[in-house]
Short mmCIF file of all heavy atoms in Angstrom, two decimals:
data_model
loop_
_atom_site.label_atom_id
_atom_site.label_comp_id
_atom_site.label_asym_id
_atom_site.label_seq_id
_atom_site.Cartn_x
_atom_site.Cartn_y
_atom_site.Cartn_z
N ALA A 524 23.83 -28.55 19.19
CA ALA A 524 24.49 -29.61 19.96
C ALA A 524 24.26 -30.98 19.35
O ALA A 524 25.00 -31.93 19.65
CB ALA A 524 24.00 -29.59 21.40
N GLN A 525 23.26 -31.14 18.48
CA GLN A 525 23.04 -32.45 17.85
C GLN A 525 24.17 -32.80 16.89
O GLN A 525 24.40 -33.97 16.58
CB GLN A 525 21.69 -32.46 17.13
CG GLN A 525 21.56 -31.44 16.02
CD GLN A 525 20.16 -31.42 15.42
OE1 GLN A 525 19.69 -32.43 14.93
NE2 GLN A 525 19.52 -30.26 15.46
N TRP A 526 24.86 -31.76 16.37
CA TRP A 526 26.03 -32.01 15.53
C TRP A 526 27.33 -31.93 16.35
O TRP A 526 28.26 -32.68 16.09
CB TRP A 526 26.10 -30.99 14.39
CG TRP A 526 25.05 -31.16 13.36
CD1 TRP A 526 25.00 -32.10 12.36
CD2 TRP A 526 23.87 -30.38 13.22
NE1 TRP A 526 23.86 -31.95 11.61
CE2 TRP A 526 23.14 -30.89 12.12
CE3 TRP A 526 23.33 -29.31 13.93
CZ2 TRP A 526 21.92 -30.36 11.70
CZ3 TRP A 526 22.12 -28.77 13.52
CH2 TRP A 526 21.43 -29.30 12.42
N HIS A 527 27.31 -31.02 17.32
CA HIS A 527 28.53 -30.77 18.10
C HIS A 527 28.17 -30.73 19.59
O HIS A 527 27.90 -29.65 20.14
CB HIS A 527 29.19 -29.46 17.67
CG HIS A 527 29.38 -29.35 16.18
ND1 HIS A 527 30.28 -30.14 15.49
CD2 HIS A 527 28.77 -28.57 15.24
CE1 HIS A 527 30.22 -29.84 14.20
NE2 HIS A 527 29.31 -28.90 14.02
N PRO A 528 28.13 -31.87 20.25
CA PRO A 528 27.68 -31.93 21.66
C PRO A 528 28.47 -31.02 22.59
O PRO A 528 27.94 -30.58 23.62
CB PRO A 528 27.90 -33.41 22.02
CG PRO A 528 27.87 -34.14 20.70
CD PRO A 528 28.48 -33.19 19.71
N GLU A 529 29.70 -30.72 22.24
CA GLU A 529 30.51 -29.88 23.13
C GLU A 529 29.95 -28.47 23.28
O GLU A 529 30.26 -27.77 24.26
CB GLU A 529 31.97 -29.81 22.62
CG GLU A 529 32.16 -29.07 21.29
CD GLU A 529 31.97 -29.98 20.07
OE1 GLU A 529 31.37 -31.07 20.22
OE2 GLU A 529 32.44 -29.59 18.99
N LEU A 530 29.10 -28.03 22.34
CA LEU A 530 28.54 -26.67 22.41
C LEU A 530 27.54 -26.52 23.55
O LEU A 530 27.32 -25.42 24.05
CB LEU A 530 27.86 -26.31 21.09
CG LEU A 530 28.78 -26.17 19.86
CD1 LEU A 530 27.95 -25.85 18.63
CD2 LEU A 530 29.82 -25.08 20.09
N ALA A 531 26.91 -27.62 23.96
CA ALA A 531 25.87 -27.53 24.99
C ALA A 531 26.41 -27.05 26.32
O ALA A 531 25.67 -26.52 27.15
CB ALA A 531 25.20 -28.90 25.16
N SER A 532 27.72 -27.18 26.56
CA SER A 532 28.31 -26.79 27.85
C SER A 532 28.99 -25.43 27.80
O SER A 532 29.75 -25.08 28.70
CB SER A 532 29.32 -27.86 28.30
OG SER A 532 30.36 -27.97 27.32
N SER A 533 28.72 -24.66 26.77
CA SER A 533 29.36 -23.34 26.63
C SER A 533 28.64 -22.33 27.50
O SER A 533 27.66 -21.70 27.08
CB SER A 533 29.36 -22.91 25.17
OG SER A 533 30.05 -23.85 24.37
N ASP A 534 29.06 -22.17 28.71
CA ASP A 534 28.38 -21.33 29.68
C ASP A 534 28.42 -19.87 29.27
O ASP A 534 29.48 -19.32 28.98
CB ASP A 534 29.04 -21.50 31.06
CG ASP A 534 28.30 -20.74 32.12
OD1 ASP A 534 27.05 -20.72 32.08
OD2 ASP A 534 28.97 -20.15 32.99
N GLY A 535 27.23 -19.22 29.25
CA GLY A 535 27.13 -17.79 29.00
C GLY A 535 27.20 -17.39 27.55
O GLY A 535 27.02 -16.22 27.23
N LEU A 536 27.49 -18.34 26.65
CA LEU A 536 27.57 -18.02 25.22
C LEU A 536 26.34 -18.65 24.55
O LEU A 536 26.28 -19.87 24.38
CB LEU A 536 28.87 -18.54 24.62
CG LEU A 536 30.14 -17.93 25.25
CD1 LEU A 536 31.38 -18.68 24.82
CD2 LEU A 536 30.26 -16.47 24.87
N ALA A 537 25.36 -17.83 24.19
CA ALA A 537 24.02 -18.34 23.89
C ALA A 537 23.80 -18.69 22.43
O ALA A 537 22.86 -19.39 22.11
CB ALA A 537 22.97 -17.32 24.32
N VAL A 538 24.63 -18.20 21.51
CA VAL A 538 24.42 -18.41 20.08
C VAL A 538 25.70 -18.97 19.48
O VAL A 538 26.80 -18.54 19.84
CB VAL A 538 24.02 -17.10 19.37
CG1 VAL A 538 23.84 -17.34 17.87
CG2 VAL A 538 22.74 -16.55 19.96
#
Side-chain angles (χ1 to χ4, degrees):
Q525 61 184 302
W526 290 283
H527 309 292
E529 67 273 18
L530 294 178
S532 60
S533 301
D534 185 39
L536 299 169
V538 178

